[in-house]
Amino acid sequence: MNMFSNVNVFKETFKRRLAEKYSTSIELSHVTEQFDILGEMVRDYANYDWRAVRTEVKEEDKKQLIYFSMEFLMGRLLLNNLQNLGIYDIAKKGLEELGIDINKLEDQEADAGLGNGGLGRLAACFLDSISSLGYPVQGNCIRYEYGFFRQLIQKGKQFEVPDQWLTNGYVFEVRKPKHSVEVEFGGYTETYIKENGEFGMKTVNATHVKAVPYDVSVVGYRNRVTNTLRLWSAEPSEENLPKHMSFEEYLHTLKELSHGLYPDDSTEKGRILRLKQQYFLVSAGLQTTMREHYKRRKTLLNLADYYVYQLNDTHPILAIPELMRIMMDMYGYGWDEAWATVTKCIAYTNHTIMQEALERWSIQHVQQVCPRCYMIIEEINRRFNLELIEKNVDQGKRYAMQIIKDGQIHMANLAIYTAFSVNGVAKLHTDILKTETFKEFYELYPNKFNNKTNGVTHRRWLMYANPKLADLITSKIGDKWIVDMDHKLIDFKNYQNDKFVQEKVMDIKHENKLKLAKYIKEKMDIDVDPNSIFDVQIKRLHAYKRQLMNLFHIMYLYQRIVNEPDFTMHPRTFIFGAKAAPSYVYAKRIIELILAVADVVNNDPRSAKFMKVVFIENYGVSLAELIIPAADVSEQISTASKEASGTSNMKLMMNGAITLGTMDGANVEIHDLVGEDNIVIFGLSSNEVLSYYANGTYSAWNEYNNSQIIQNIMQSLFNGPWADSNRFQLIFDEIMNNNDCFFILKDLPEYIKAQERIEKLYQDKQRWAQMCIANIGSSGYFTSDRTIEQYVEDIWHLSKVGN
């Protein structure tokens, strides 16, 4: 019987399961038990669709997407799955009749610790959209036991503690030991003669690790399609225990593999562990799909007809040599057969134009972790060079494209040479890849390069995070936008001049601001004015994202308030949310400065009446769902040319925040869609930034010497009320002695003027409401549904299931 068919059936099932599992009644049960039972019921209800999708894919020979990513920042799944399955109202009413508040159960769920920033959240949005559109996908990630880290703010600093998100288990996962595979690390390669007389290669004396999958259902929006996120966990091999180490040492090695996301790469041990994690992920994911395929079809030569492997950034690029290794060493294919297969089923998404962020691995480390893969990479590089020589590519360009050079393996170069598709994630980003970062590759293989501007799932980020706004939209344009946002949401722009809609949009925003203000008061004991401008910058802490420029503006305002008795401004609440990587000392020092400035501003009566500065601790998906609907201003102020796309810009726009930004990443497309009048743009263009880098004419000291405002700000790092001895000298040195490589001082004067324009616009309530409506109505393009349809049409070539 369908346990969600009606309220009475739901209640009886809930009570029965509670008694069966916990031997308790509704009245005596604990909230954690109630959450667990509801989560299991939702998971099991989705399992029927899960099985049906897998059966259809097999029986009808449908092509599947295997999406490799080191991160999937999924957020909470209970509300999302209840809504997507169309059973939320029954569950809510049934629980109410049992005396249980569903919101309290929702609060029991921890954010899954499977990601850190935009890369992981994008991957999660993609899974949601792929499932909601009805295409078959399996995401692959590691089951990190302790996530990235949980951020604590204490004594004015960031501290990192383990993210114990699995303390009470994870109700939405199902352990699938029958799909386990063994991953081999280290050892060495031996040649042997095969039965047919040919030479073969095998790895011997390797350390064997059992990779066990935990599958999480990914529920599509009311279409009976449920896909899989497969999380790999490292366990001891049952038949191949190592002889060269104790069992305790072996267990420690396993524990490290699935302990946490992004081990500290400032040490050699941390770098090797990162490499091991990457190899563990791709080897496990490839082995299991290829084993299943070979079992059914007795060949791997048609693998590309049934699977496409999308590599999300450089982390999973070891999939290329590993797929070659599996075909040649495990299944006996020759090089040419394996290479023809690999080059037809691997696609690569690039997420950065910054050379320092493009992964390069030491030859020594790759030889140590996966020696056979290194041999294959070496041979790929040799054959690539023969091709370049044959095509008369000059030596300078050949050097730029080398896969192996200067003792390192350049992973992006390996991916671009091998993959049949290489995509950027915003129009500007892809143009820079073609003309700057990988221009030599683009000249050689222009047809490989394409753009797929990122998107976000509007179901989570608008419908569920901001239900009253979603209801308002539906009341005006109908509900077709929910399943066709790219084409239908634009109709909401027609209400820009509708006084009733203007008032409703602003009322809903005010309600959301009250909720966030309540949270800030309860968690941080800071009183913020909901009538102030909520100015929001929420993203990982990195120098190029320029949280520091935002802070310099705040310092500038404080100095004016203190030094100019007649100065006045519209009240502002500056909200930051950011984690700095544990070994990123400069980023952590910027957080210290934000907190120090906040302490001064918030406690000085002269400034506190005008502005507050709030740093939200442990920013993640659930907090984003609280902050984004309350934001008035969306800070998207990265150095032009540095941000590949950005996705917080899209989520904030979708919820009616006005973008204050540079012409960088997807801001360019936001600008083009909303028009000049509905966005505030400032700063250097990407061409100007690249020109400064090329000709070397920029001088931070010139900017300093020519501006009293800049001098006052920079000097306050030593003598300002937030200065503590020379604690912030590192920030001064990074800006002045490293020549302000992200052009904060160059863009600061324009940024200050842009902020003044924001204030002026906000004070015209009608104009501001019109801008909000224009942004909401123009945001349809940024649904990840549109992005996925473009991937399907141009790269993946999937057909739908569940029709």
Side-chain angles (χ1 to χ4, degrees):
M1 182 184 287
N2 177 354
M3 64 188 106
F4 290 94
S5 58
N6 61 56
V7 170
N8 288 331
V9 171
F10 169 80
K11 288 196 302 186
E12 290 307 310
T13 307
F14 187 86
K15 287 191 288 186
R16 177 176 54 78
R17 286 191 167 213
L18 194 61
E20 288 172 349
K21 183 167 185 178
Y22 289 109
S23 305
T24 191
S25 64
I26 297 291
E27 295 75 22
L28 297 176
S29 61
H30 190 265
V31 66
T32 56
E33 295 168 337
Q34 295 166 2
F35 165 73
D36 185 52
I37 294 301
L38 180 60
E40 284 187 353
M41 288 174 67
V42 174
R43 180 197 67 203
D44 294 350
Y45 182 73
N47 278 355
Y48 291 105
D49 296 337
W50 207 359
R51 183 177 66 181
V53 168
R54 292 199 303 270
T55 300
E56 183 181 337
V57 168
K58 271 187 184 175
E59 291 181 352
E60 298 187 18
D61 288 330
K62 300 252 171 120
K63 187 177 185 181
Q64 292 182 72
L65 167 67
I66 306 298
Y67 195 89
F68 282 115
S69 180
M70 291 302 288
E71 296 185 44
F72 283 89
L73 200 55
M74 299 299 289
R76 295 173 175 175
L77 292 183
L78 181 61
L79 172 63
N80 186 81
N81 288 0
L82 282 166
Q83 292 279 21
N84 278 9
L85 289 165
I87 56 177
Y88 179 81
D89 291 340
I90 286 173
K92 185 173 186 287
K93 191 167 191 308
L95 290 168
E96 271 176 11
E97 292 183 9
L98 293 171
I100 298 170
D101 181 354
I102 195 170
N103 295 317
K104 289 185 177 176
L105 301 196
E106 290 167 13
D107 289 342
Q108 289 301 305
E109 184 178 358
D111 280 23
L114 302 172
N116 171 37
L119 183 77
R121 188 50 237 169
L122 179 78
C125 284
F126 277 12
L127 289 190
D128 178 272
S129 282
I130 295 167
S131 301
S132 294
L133 292 167
Y135 297 108
V137 62
Q138 182 190 95
N140 275 254
C141 190
I142 292 175
R143 186 177 181 264
Y144 304 107
E145 287 187 43
Y146 298 102
F148 187 42
F149 64 82
R150 184 161 67 90
Q151 181 190 56
L152 295 181
I153 300 300
Q154 295 176 346
K155 299 177 181 177
K157 295 182 180 181
Q158 168 183 292
F159 291 88
E160 304 90 31
V161 296
D163 176 9
Q164 301 180 60
W165 68 284
L166 284 171
T167 297
N168 294 321
Y170 190 41
V171 69
F172 297 107
E173 69 182 8
V174 179
R175 189 172 185 269
K176 298 281 186 71
K178 73 175 183 179
H179 296 301
S180 299
V181 294
E182 296 227 334
V183 177
E184 299 178 2
F185 293 98
Y188 56 90
T189 304
E190 279 188 349
T191 307
Y192 70 99
I193 298 178
K194 296 190 283 189
E195 290 181 5
N196 62 6
E198 296 178 354
F199 287 110
M201 307 291 280
K202 63 181 178 181
T203 302
V204 297
N205 287 347
T207 300
H208 290 247
V209 174
K210 185 178 178 181
V212 181
Y214 289 71
D215 285 358
V216 178
S217 54
V218 181
V219 178
Y221 182 74
R222 303 187 186 182
N223 63 351
R224 306 300 304 272
V225 172
T226 297
N227 280 308
T228 304
L229 170 59
R230 177 158 284 179
L231 307 176
W232 292 98
S233 184
E235 296 185 11
S237 170
E238 293 173 14
E239 298 176 5
N240 296 290
L241 292 175
K243 298 181 176 65
H244 60 283
M245 67 174 78
S246 69
F247 189 66
E248 288 72 22
E249 190 180 351
Y250 177 52
L251 286 179
H252 179 70
T253 301
L254 301 181
K255 191 83 174 169
E256 284 186 324
L257 271 176
S258 45
H259 179 273
L261 172 67
Y262 299 143
D264 179 3
D265 62 355
S266 65
T267 66
E268 183 176 38
K269 182 183 176 185
R271 287 191 292 275
I272 291 172
L273 180 54
R274 277 202 188 196
L275 185 62
K276 281 183 172 180
Q277 285 185 330
Q278 293 179 8
Y279 183 62
F280 175 73
L281 169 63
V282 298
S283 180
L286 289 170
Q287 282 191 60
T288 189
T289 54
M290 294 169 77
R291 181 176 66 187
E292 183 178 324
H293 182 83
Y294 192 84
K295 185 179 177 182
R296 273 180 68 78
R297 298 181 176 86
K298 308 305 179 192
T299 179
L300 293 177
L301 296 180
N302 60 357
L303 188 69
D305 295 333
Y306 297 93
Y307 290 102
V308 56
Y309 298 97
Q310 187 72 41
L311 310 183
N312 191 31
D313 211 2
T314 50
H315 311 121
I317 287 173
L318 281 173
I320 292 168
E322 178 62 3
L323 207 161
M324 293 288 292
R325 183 195 72 81
I326 293 169
M327 286 194 71
M328 292 190 297
D329 296 1
M330 294 178 69
Y331 291 93
Y333 290 100
W335 180 279
D336 292 341
E337 292 172 314
W339 183 248
T341 302
V342 170
T343 53
K344 284 187 288 191
C345 62
I346 294 276
Y348 163 55
T349 300
N350 173 277
H351 285 277
T352 182
I353 59 101
M354 297 169 65
Q355 285 293 339
E356 63 270 25
L358 294 169
E359 278 192 314
R360 298 182 291 272
W361 287 111
S362 153
I363 289 173
Q364 179 187 352
H365 291 161
V366 178
Q367 286 175 322
Q368 181 180 335
V369 170
C370 43
R372 178 67 173 127
C373 281
Y374 175 70
M375 292 176 67
I376 292 167
I377 294 169
E378 208 171 33
E379 179 62 13
I380 292 172
N381 191 55
R382 186 186 73 84
R383 292 176 182 234
F384 180 37
N385 272 288
L386 290 175
E387 181 182 329
L388 294 178
I389 290 167
E390 189 179 314
K391 292 180 175 178
N392 295 315
V393 177
D394 72 58
Q395 195 162 354
K397 291 180 179 178
R398 277 170 49 199
Y399 179 77
M401 290 186 283
Q402 287 301 297
I403 295 166
I404 302 174
K405 59 182 173 182
D406 304 325
Q408 293 181 313
I409 301 167
H410 292 245
M411 303 305 285
N413 290 3
L414 173 60
I416 295 169
Y417 174 54
T418 308
F420 69 86
S421 168
V422 178
N423 74 277
V425 291
K427 185 178 182 302
L428 174 64
H429 168 233
T430 303
D431 288 345
I432 293 172
L433 292 182
K434 293 175 180 178
T435 58
E436 296 284 339
T437 315
F438 300 123
K439 61 183 178 183
E440 296 85 3
F441 275 107
Y442 180 64
E443 288 172 11
L444 199 60
Y445 308 116
N447 294 333
K448 287 190 179 193
F449 286 78
N450 60 94
N451 177 59
K452 299 290 172 282
T453 297
N454 283 341
V456 300
T457 171
H458 60 279
R459 285 165 289 275
R460 178 179 288 271
W461 294 109
L462 177 51
M463 288 173 61
Y464 308 152
N466 202 347
K468 289 189 176 178
L469 178 58
D471 289 345
L472 174 65
I473 294 168
T474 298
S475 73
K476 293 300 171 186
I477 66 171
D479 62 3
K480 293 283 189 353
W481 68 274
I482 295 171
V483 293
D484 190 14
M485 184 163 169
D486 185 18
H487 300 104
K488 301 296 184 186
L489 190 62
I490 192 73
D491 292 344
F492 192 62
K493 281 184 76 173
N494 296 334
Y495 293 88
Q496 266 183 280
N497 298 316
D498 185 306
K499 293 285 175 58
F500 171 79
V501 174
Q502 289 173 6
E503 288 176 10
K504 284 295 291 180
V505 165
M506 298 309 289
D507 286 347
I508 291 166
K509 180 67 72 177
H510 189 72
E511 280 186 48
N512 291 326
K513 289 167 78 171
L514 286 170
K515 285 182 197 168
L516 179 55
K518 182 173 181 281
Y519 176 88
I520 291 168
K521 176 62 177 175
E522 289 174 354
K523 296 292 182 181
M524 284 154 274
D525 196 27
I526 299 172
D527 292 300
V528 300
D529 178 4
N531 294 309
S532 66
I533 301 171
F534 277 24
D535 186 314
V536 170
Q537 189 174 18
I538 42 174
K539 48 188 81 241
R540 66 187 173 88
L541 205 305
H542 196 288
Y544 84 83
K545 293 178 183 287
R546 300 202 294 191
Q547 284 94 343
L548 191 58
M549 185 166 69
N550 186 347
L551 187 61
F552 280 179
H553 171 245
I554 296 168
M555 292 156 71
Y556 156 79
L557 289 175
Y558 178 81
Q559 289 173 343
R560 287 198 67 185
I561 290 167
V562 169
N563 296 321
E564 300 175 26
D566 296 330
F567 178 80
T568 188
M569 59 180 276
H570 189 92
R572 282 274 184 124
T573 300
F574 294 97
I575 297 168
F576 294 88
K579 287 182 176 180
S583 59
Y584 192 175
V585 177
Y586 179 53
K588 292 174 80 169
R589 195 59 51 85
I590 291 172
I591 288 178
E592 289 180 40
L593 182 58
I594 294 170
L595 294 166
V597 171
D599 189 49
V600 171
V601 168
N602 297 346
N603 292 296
D604 186 333
R606 294 171 295 180
S607 54
K609 65 183 178 184
F610 290 121
M611 61 179 180
K612 295 288 176 67
V613 180
V614 178
F615 188 94
I616 304 280
E617 181 182 72
N618 202 41
Y619 173 69
V621 176
S622 293
L623 281 169
E625 290 167 353
L626 177 67
I627 297 167
I628 287 170
D632 291 311
V633 177
S634 167
E635 295 267 2
Q636 307 297 333
I637 58 177
S638 54
T639 308
S641 80
K642 295 300 181 185
E643 186 72 83
S645 166
T647 51
S648 70
N649 48 4
M650 303 169 188
K651 297 164 196 165
L652 285 154
M653 172 198 192
M654 210 171 270
N655 282 272
I658 308 307
T659 302
L660 168 60
T662 53
M663 287 293 270
D664 194 27
N667 293 355
V668 175
E669 286 149 286
I670 292 175
H671 169 270
D672 293 347
L673 286 163
V674 300
E676 188 75 31
D677 293 339
N678 297 304
I679 190 171
V680 177
I681 294 293
F682 72 95
L684 295 172
S685 69
S686 59
N687 286 337
E688 288 169 327
V689 168
L690 295 171
S691 176
Y692 272 126
Y693 286 142
N695 60 38
T697 55
Y698 178 66
S699 167
W701 283 104
N702 281 352
E703 302 301 323
Y704 178 91
N705 290 327
N706 292 330
S707 171
Q708 189 61 53
I709 288 173
I710 290 173
Q711 290 173 34
N712 293 342
I713 292 167
M714 298 304 293
Q715 288 168 13
S716 77
L717 294 172
F718 295 101
N719 58 23
W722 35 76
D724 175 10
S725 185
N726 288 331
R727 180 156 61 128
F728 301 120
Q729 180 175 342
L730 172 64
I731 293 173
F732 184 93
D733 290 345
E734 188 69 29
I735 298 291
M736 302 309 303
N737 296 344
N738 286 341
N739 202 32
D740 186 21
C741 60
F742 295 113
F743 303 99
I744 288 174
L745 303 187
K746 183 69 177 175
D747 277 348
L748 184 60
E750 267 200 55
Y751 177 60
I752 290 170
K753 288 178 184 175
Q755 285 281 18
E756 290 168 353
R757 187 176 165 214
I758 284 282
E759 180 174 326
K760 187 176 179 183
L761 286 165
Y762 188 82
Q763 289 172 321
D764 182 345
K765 292 300 181 189
Q766 184 178 354
R767 177 74 190 96
W768 189 265
Q770 289 172 331
M771 293 174 71
C772 292
I773 295 166
N775 273 269
I776 295 164
S778 300
S779 68
Y781 177 77
F782 295 108
T783 172
S784 44
D785 290 6
R786 184 267 315 154
T787 313
I788 292 306
E789 289 288 21
Q790 291 177 346
Y791 272 98
V792 169
E793 183 177 348
D794 298 340
I795 301 173
W796 300 335
H797 308 300
L798 306 173
S799 57
K800 294 192 176 188
V801 293
N803 293 329

